[in-house]
Every structure is written in C-alpha cells, then in structure tokens.
Amino acid sequence: MLALRLTRAARPAVQLRRLLVATATAGTGFLLLSCLGYALAHPGSAHAATLRLVWCAVPLAATVYLALAVARTDPATRPRPGLSAAGLGPAQLMAVSALTTAVSCTLGSLLALLAFLHLRGDLTGLPFDGVAAGFLAAGRPFPFPAALTLLTLVPVTASVTVALSLRPRDPRPAARGPRRFGRFGAYGEVRGRETFGAYGRFGARLGRKAADGSTTATAPGTDGSGTGPEASGEPGAELPAPDPAPAPDSAWPDGTPQPPQGSPAGLPWGITLVTAGLTVHAYAPRQDLAVLGGWLLIATGLVLAAPGLTHLCGLLLQCTRPGALRLLSGRVLMSEATRIGRPLGVVCAVLSAGYAMTSLYAGSAAAFGPLATLGALLVTGCTIATLLTAAVETRQCRADTTAALLRLGAPPSMLRVAAALRAAALLTLFGPLTLAVAALAALPVGR
C-alpha cells in the first residue's frame, strides 16, 4: 500500500520515467510472446524458435538496465530522517523500490498480453485484415500458462536486480587487519615499542582506542597496575594526546558510497574483451550465435572500458593550464566516471551493433522484419533513456555541490556551459570510438 501511495504521489518527471519502464516492458513482453507464437505456428522448427528466444535476451537486458536506472533516481525511495523515524529504514525503502519496479513492469506485461491477444483476434477479431496472423499463430489454441511464464521474466528479473543493487550497505570502512595485542594482553594497535613499566605509568593508557573505535580512559590511581602517580616516578610527565578516530568515507546524499577518486581499473580488461569480440567477428562463420557471442564480448568490453575512458576525458580537459570552467568540467567527469561511463559504454555498443548488423544483413540477406525493427528500436530507446536517467542521477548527487557554487557567486550560465563542455568532450571521444568499432566489426563482411 505504501508503494502504491508513493507511486501515485510522485512528480510528473518521475511518473514519465516509470511510464518508460512500463513501455519498454510491454515491448519486451510482446517480443517474448511473438517467439511463443512462432513456435506454435512452426512446431517443426525448434532450432529457429530457440534462436529467436535467445535473441530476446538483448531487449530483456536493456529493459532491466533501464528499470534499475529509474529506481536509482526515484526520490521517494531515498533515505530521509523522517522516514527512518517512522520505521522505514534503508531495507524497507529497498523493498518499496523493488515493489514499485514490479508494479511498473507488471503493467507493461499486461499491456503486451492485451496487444498480443488483440492482434491474434482472440478479443475482437483479426485486425488489419489478418496481416499479423502469420507470426502470431492465429487460430491455434493459445497456452496461457506458457505466456504468463514468459511475461513474468521481466518483472521478476527487474525487481531482483533492483533489490540487489539498492540493498543496504555499511558505510563504515572495513577492518584493515587482524587485531593485535599489546603488553599484558591489552588489545589495540600498538604504535610504538613500550619499555618496561610503561603499562602502569600514570596516563599511559589514556586515549587508547577500543575495538569499536571509541576512546577509553583510565582514572588516575586505578590504571590497572595498582599504582598511582606517586609510584610512576614521573609526577610531571605530560599526558599523551588521544589518537584521532578515522573519519568514515564520505557518501552521496542518497546513502550510496562515493566512487573511488582514482582511475577505474576496468580499462585493460575492456580493451581485451573488445579485441576478442572483434576477433570472433573476423574469423567465426556468419551465424547468428557467433554474431551474438561476438557482440556480447564487445558490449561487455565497452562497458568495462567506458569508465576509464571517461576518466581519461576528464584528465584531458584539465591539461595545459586549465581555467575554472575546464577544471570544473574535468573534475566532474573524473568523479562521475563510473556513473556516466557505464551507460555510455552500453550506448556505444548498441550503436556499433546497429551499424554493423545493418551492413551484415544488407544485400542478399533477409531484410529486417517488423519484430526485428521493434527489437532494434526497443534496445536503442532503452539505452538512450538509461543514459539520460544516469545524467539525472548525477545531477541529483551533485545538488549540494551545485548549491554551494551558486552561494559562492558562480553564475548559472557557467554551470550550463560546463555541462555542455562535458557533453562535447564525451561526444568527441566516444563518437569516433563507436564508428571505429562498428567499422571493424563490419570489415570482414566487406572484404
């Protein structure tokens, strides 16, 4: 009930993003049902029906990725002190976010089922003069249990992915090593070698850190050795200062950990996977499974390499004595390399695959049918919408920094020009990369 209330009370922009998730789910569900209809209409072509179902994994992954991006930008499921006081902690908000995603995806699956049944003629007769009756198995008994099983793939996969991605995490840093013991069994980190009798000296144990990170002090005269200040031999000794407790890592306003400040470590592995995928395209036969496997390698490599390339783009913006505008743009790209780079890698993979597949199926090969066109439009739209949603998430995470710059006197036009400069720099780097990957993937076909 709470998830429904939060869904209904959201802003129009949030409702639009949820509507995009429902639309993408409807398209993916229709493709899955079309595979079922093809299997019913061609019972002797089990291999072709299985291959069509395997190809549906691409729009399914794109839809789930869009649902995850929309769930991360949902302001209704962000941790707030008021909700925590009412008993809605991070775990409950994660469950609400997963349930909201399930509601959006279920709505899309129901729309796909209604559209499929309408085109089959099960509701009001065959529309469009029965044009779609061939690949929808019109006139044959329709197995509703199998259809419902296929339609539950997107809601279940999206909800589980959102729950795993938004699960509560401990913001405190992990322990750096095993516990070490000092003199006389005292636990804690020993910074220096203690001399004989130092344990019972007055004030020697003040400021020691306990196991939970807090400092403990021992009263004078009860320091554990049975001796007071007169027995120490140094009544005027200076008390050691307590050790400062390490500050926890800073976090984003939504509670997620801040990305590392160094360069992302996936660039070499990404280049390796892209090279392996291009090799598969160059030497493997022109079969659907080989093409799909090669593009999976290329897409995975681009997703892994894109954060490192985004970080490199931020570094290039700041080279050769940068001003305030270039410095601000480059720093934002470096800090948001992982958040922006992964959707950029997916977009590059999809655009490269679209160009290469167009070249692959040109000429004597079969032309694109309506279902193939629907799948291509669905994957392209989901990836572009995911990239725009990631930009919205980045803007939400930098809201405090933007407000601080405005309070310091930075003009709003400067922030807009910095955003345009970041977009131009990313387009300059990733545009030729997309064209190069597409040309290399289509090169064996044009030889």
Side-chain angles (χ1 to χ4, degrees):
M1 185 61 66
L2 178 61
L4 293 177
R5 289 182 178 180
L6 292 176
T7 302
R8 185 183 60 182
R11 295 177 299 178
V14 180
Q15 299 288 8
L16 178 60
R17 292 196 291 266
R18 292 170 181 170
L19 184 60
L20 287 177
V21 174
T23 305
T25 305
T28 305
F30 187 83
L31 290 177
L32 292 172
L33 293 178
S34 300
C35 295
L36 178 61
Y38 181 85
L40 292 176
H42 304 82
S45 304
H47 177 72
T50 304
L51 189 60
R52 286 171 176 259
L53 190 60
V54 170
W55 272 103
C56 287
V58 179
L60 174 63
T63 303
V64 172
Y65 195 35
L66 175 61
L68 176 59
V70 170
R72 291 176 63 92
T73 58
D74 195 347
T77 57
R78 292 181 179 273
R80 290 190 293 269
L83 294 179
S84 299
L88 293 177
Q92 288 78 11
L93 290 179
M94 177 267 296
V96 170
S97 180
L99 186 56
T100 304
T101 303
V103 169
S104 301
C105 295
T106 303
L107 177 60
S109 298
L110 291 178
L111 291 177
L113 180 60
L114 291 178
F116 186 81
L117 294 178
H118 176 66
L119 292 178
R120 273 177 49 90
D122 295 338
L123 299 179
T124 59
L126 285 174
F128 307 111
D129 297 330
V131 176
F135 61 89
L136 298 183
R140 294 178 178 269
F142 186 67
F144 280 94
L148 294 179
T149 302
L150 289 176
L151 290 178
T152 55
L153 285 178
V154 181
V156 171
T157 306
S159 302
V160 172
T161 304
V162 169
L164 292 178
S165 179
L166 301 182
R167 67 186 185 275
R169 295 180 177 86
D170 191 359
R172 296 175 299 179
R176 297 186 178 180
R179 179 184 296 177
R180 291 183 291 179
F181 294 88
R183 190 181 298 276
F184 297 105
Y187 56 87
E189 184 178 358
V190 181
R191 299 185 181 276
R193 182 177 179 84
E194 295 180 349
T195 59
F196 181 77
Y199 184 82
R201 189 171 299 159
F202 173 73
R205 311 307 298 176
L206 290 177
R208 286 291 183 182
K209 283 195 236 181
D212 58 352
S214 60
T215 58
T216 58
T218 306
T222 60
D223 52 355
S225 62
T227 59
E230 294 83 8
S232 62
E234 297 179 6
E238 184 180 357
L239 298 179
D243 299 328
D249 294 339
S250 57
W252 294 113
D254 58 352
T256 56
Q258 184 178 359
Q261 298 298 327
S263 176
L267 184 57
W269 292 102
I271 295 175
T272 303
L273 289 178
V274 170
T275 306
L278 293 176
T279 304
V280 170
H281 275 276
Y283 293 99
R286 289 180 54 180
Q287 297 178 357
D288 291 336
L289 291 179
V291 172
L292 179 61
W295 275 114
L296 285 179
L297 290 176
I298 293 175
T300 306
L302 288 175
V303 171
L304 290 177
L309 294 176
T310 305
H311 191 274
L312 177 62
C313 190
L315 285 177
L316 294 178
L317 274 178
Q318 302 175 74
C319 63
T320 63
R321 302 176 65 181
L325 186 62
R326 290 169 53 198
L327 187 62
L328 177 61
S329 302
R331 288 294 181 180
V332 170
L333 284 181
M334 291 175 61
S335 62
E336 301 289 342
T338 303
R339 198 183 300 269
I340 300 177
R342 289 175 181 174
L344 269 177
V346 175
V347 171
C348 289
V350 169
L351 295 181
S352 301
Y355 176 81
M357 295 297 289
T358 303
S359 302
L360 181 64
Y361 287 102
S364 60
F368 282 104
L371 295 180
T373 305
L374 175 62
L377 293 177
L378 180 62
V379 173
T380 305
C382 285
T383 52
I384 295 177
T386 303
L387 180 60
L388 297 178
T389 307
V392 173
E393 182 185 5
T394 304
R395 182 180 180 181
Q396 291 177 354
C397 293
R398 291 187 294 105
D400 295 340
T401 304
T402 303
L405 290 174
L406 293 177
R407 287 195 304 268
L408 291 175
S413 60
M414 178 182 178
L415 301 180
R416 290 192 292 267
V417 172
L421 181 60
R422 291 194 299 269
L426 292 176
L427 183 62
T428 303
L429 180 62
F430 283 92
L433 175 64
T434 303
L435 294 178
V437 173
L440 291 176
L443 184 61
V445 182
R447 284 185 306 187

